[in-house]
Amino acid sequence: MAYREPVGMIQSIGVPWLKQSPAHHHWLRSHIIRSVCIVWKSLTGPGLLLALAGSMVAGQAPQGVQSFVTKQCVGCHNAKLKQGNLDLTSLPFEPAKPDNLNIWAKIHDRVRDGEMPPVASPSLTKFTRDSFLTSLSAPLVAADHARFASTGRAVIRRMNRQEYENTLRDLLGAPWLQIQDMLPEDGIAYKF
């Protein structure tokens, strides 16, 4: 069977190196598709997730969260009583900030586990609780995914003096190297 020139976009471009075997055209198509996917991912990856998380959290909680907090939580967690050292009347909804995300995640978990609200009110039904959890979890998960997409899961950490000395020994091929005493003391955080 004789090789036929492709009809369509590739032939109409008129570039001689494109007029090759069908295997080459398959390879070219797969690379074009892969390139388009990479560009699409770079345009919609972490940036889109951060934009979505940011648009959902302009300081205001979603409507389902606001109504639940107003009806069920503000009676105890307000500026005057501040039970559990939590004032929900002044707490902004900014899950893009890690500290704020942790507070709202703790609120979500307490309501999910039935710890809050502690007094069973007649207006609190399973449907009300589930709709609150659903409306709260969506922006929290989006912000968490955006954070992981932009920074990764691993936290950047500094080597201690012994690790730094051993790394230099390995890199320089100098097992006799001793610089540990010349480096500043290692800091202690969380007993490590």
Side-chain angles (χ1 to χ4, degrees):
M1 184 171 200
Y3 171 69
R4 289 180 27 203
E5 287 290 324
V7 177
M9 186 175 74
I10 293 177
Q11 187 178 7
S12 67
I13 294 174
V15 180
W17 59 269
L18 286 177
K19 296 179 181 176
Q20 297 194 9
S21 68
H24 181 265
H25 290 294
H26 176 70
W27 175 85
L28 183 63
R29 269 194 311 269
S30 67
H31 282 284
I32 289 172
I33 291 170
R34 189 174 303 135
S35 299
V36 167
C37 289
I38 290 170
V39 169
W40 176 256
K41 185 177 180 184
S42 68
L43 291 174
T44 62
L48 180 65
L49 286 174
L50 285 171
L52 284 174
S55 68
M56 295 172 88
V57 294
Q60 292 288 336
Q63 184 57 38
V65 173
Q66 285 179 349
S67 62
F68 183 88
V69 167
T70 303
K71 290 177 187 172
Q72 303 293 336
C73 308
V74 172
C76 299
H77 299 284
N78 55 36
K80 185 177 179 183
L81 296 176
K82 211 173 188 180
Q83 288 188 357
N85 201 20
L86 179 64
D87 178 13
L88 292 175
T89 58
S90 65
L91 180 67
F93 189 74
E94 299 170 340
K97 296 180 180 178
D99 293 338
N100 194 272
L101 174 72
N102 290 336
I103 293 170
W104 283 102
K106 190 180 288 187
I107 292 168
H108 174 276
D109 294 345
R110 291 277 180 104
V111 172
R112 180 197 63 207
D113 297 340
E115 296 174 25
M116 290 291 150
V119 179
S121 68
S123 64
L124 181 61
T125 62
K126 182 173 176 15
F127 176 75
T128 308
R129 183 184 305 265
D130 290 345
S131 62
F132 165 75
L133 293 173
T134 302
S135 61
L136 179 59
S137 66
L140 295 181
V141 169
D144 204 33
H145 283 295
R147 185 171 55 100
F148 286 143
S150 65
T151 62
R153 291 190 179 269
V155 176
I156 298 173
R157 70 174 195 90
R158 177 173 115 11
M159 289 190 276
N160 63 30
R161 296 184 312 160
Q162 185 175 5
E163 290 171 332
Y164 191 76
E165 182 179 86
N166 289 337
T167 301
L168 284 178
R169 285 179 180 173
D170 291 344
L171 289 173
L172 300 175
W176 45 264
L177 186 65
Q178 294 181 352
I179 63 161
Q180 195 175 58
D181 296 331
M182 292 184 259
L183 298 172
E185 287 289 322
D186 293 327
I188 296 176
Y190 306 106
K191 298 185 181 182
F192 288 102

